[in-house]
Amino acid sequence: MIDSPVVPFVDLVARHSRVAQQAEKALLAVLRSGQWVGGPVVQNAEEAIARIGGKNHAVGVGNGTDALTLALMAIGVRAGDDVLVPAVTFFATAGAVLRLGAKPIVVDVLPDLPLIDPDAAKQKLTANTTAVIPVHLFGLTAPKISLGIPVVDDAAQAMGSDPPVGHGDIAATSFYPTKVLGVAGDGGAVLTNDAHLASRVRQLANHGMVAPHVHEVHEGHVGWNSRLDGIQAALLLAHLDDLPSRLERRRQIAQRYDEAFADQAVPHNAGSPVSVYVLLHPERDRVAQDLRNKGIQTAVYYPRSLSQQPAIASEPTPNADRFCAQALALPCHATLDAQQVDAVISAVRSSI
């Protein structure tokens, strides 16, 4: 057993070193400015996020979970409503629904892809369903869903897609450090082409006040404090020049993996950020241990489907359960060198 990894699953220290000079200069400038909440740096970051996400508006918020919750609130989801969510996703997708007192209705994924099944979603639709949340995962764009209800895209893994993903009225994303575009802590954003929805999110993220400095909150408009701060906004901006080369490197690594074992991997779109590269194997846990013994760090996305979560009452989702039992994520990030990629390929080949 190797004590320290030969190939880390993520390497945030190495990623920071690529932008250290500009990032640390930007942080110092924010600290010296005294504009730590709001201000031009946050505004510039929001404009950049909108461009990358292919939307007219972006509102920076405290984290990705808040982004989902605020997006749902902005389109009118309330306590007692039903919201359709895919069975393969991080718990936050359903957690945002539960936080509002609404009910997540878990929908199975496609037989061959970990994405919400539009036909299964249609079968779950009732008069009480007020929204659907397609989740874009592992470099894949969720199918377009037209059910006559608002669509909230969970794009936490999709920043950097070319073209940008999202078919819905509003989208939520995350800048958690391990994301393709991440900061040094928590951060998130809500994106939309609708100016009214963007204004509504901004209001809700500032306690529901009618304007930033007008301490007036109307009944039914109560939000909470969730803002992207100047420090994280500055870090996000510092990463932008490096982002294209990082995306290209991730795609190159994914192509190497595809050539080595594509038949056992989840496919990904050509222009995706390859946020997570996932291998499928019926003996996933054994393979993971083999790789660990060889110094290759891996991760499991996700150990159990939403239908298997104790906090959620759901009908069985066999396609999702099968995927979650087999999925193993491999290291795929821009700071891997050629020798490390070769080590992953060699170790996986000998383990599967």
Side-chain angles (χ1 to χ4, degrees), residues 55-58 168-171 190-195 197-199 201:
K55 301 295 184 183
N56 293 334
H57 308 279
D169 306 89
I170 195 166
V190 179
L191 301 93
T192 181
N193 286 325
D194 188 318
L197 283 178
S199 177
V201 170

Side-chain angles (χ1 to χ4, degrees), residues 112-304:
D112 57 343
L113 292 175
L115 303 172
I116 190 168
D117 183 337
D119 291 334
K122 187 175 182 179
Q123 293 174 12
K124 299 277 188 177
L125 188 67
T126 70
N128 202 43
T129 310
T130 57
V132 57
I133 308 178
V135 181
H136 310 283
L137 286 178
F138 312 136
L140 290 166
T141 301
K144 187 173 183 179
I145 299 181
S146 299
L147 299 174
I149 55 175
V151 175
V152 178
D153 290 292
D154 184 332
Q157 288 191 12
M159 290 299 285
S161 293
D162 183 19
V165 305
H167 311 298
D169 306 89
I170 195 166
T173 195
S174 167
F175 302 119
Y176 187 73
T178 58
K179 302 299 183 186
V180 175
L181 180 58
V183 294
D186 280 309
V190 179
L191 301 93
T192 181
N193 286 325
D194 188 318
H196 172 74
L197 283 178
S199 177
R200 176 86 169 126
V201 170
R202 195 174 297 281
Q203 177 184 342
L204 290 166
N206 190 36
H207 302 285
M209 294 181 186
V210 295
H213 302 292
V214 178
H215 292 201
E216 182 179 319
V217 178
H218 296 285
E219 184 180 358
H221 292 251
V222 178
W224 67 95
N225 176 16
S226 182
R227 297 184 289 254
L228 182 69
D229 65 61
I231 294 292
Q232 305 303 344
L235 281 171
L236 190 150
L237 289 168
H239 280 279
L240 292 186
D241 287 344
D242 190 45
L243 184 60
S245 65
R246 293 212 308 254
L247 290 169
E248 179 58 27
R249 179 58 181 154
R250 297 175 78 101
R251 291 165 183 151
Q252 290 172 355
I253 294 169
Q255 184 175 356
R256 289 286 317 280
Y257 289 168
D258 286 347
E259 292 166 355
F261 31 75
D263 291 345
Q264 292 177 277
V266 175
H268 49 87
N269 299 340
S272 84
V274 198
S275 51
V276 183
Y277 191 98
V278 173
L279 193 72
L280 296 175
H281 197 280
E283 299 178 50
R284 186 265 314 281
D285 294 341
R286 177 191 61 76
V287 173
Q289 184 61 55
D290 285 350
L291 297 180
R292 188 178 307 115
N293 292 342
K294 297 167 184 173
I296 311 298
Q297 282 189 338
T298 61
V300 174
Y301 289 75
Y302 299 94
R304 54 173 70 181

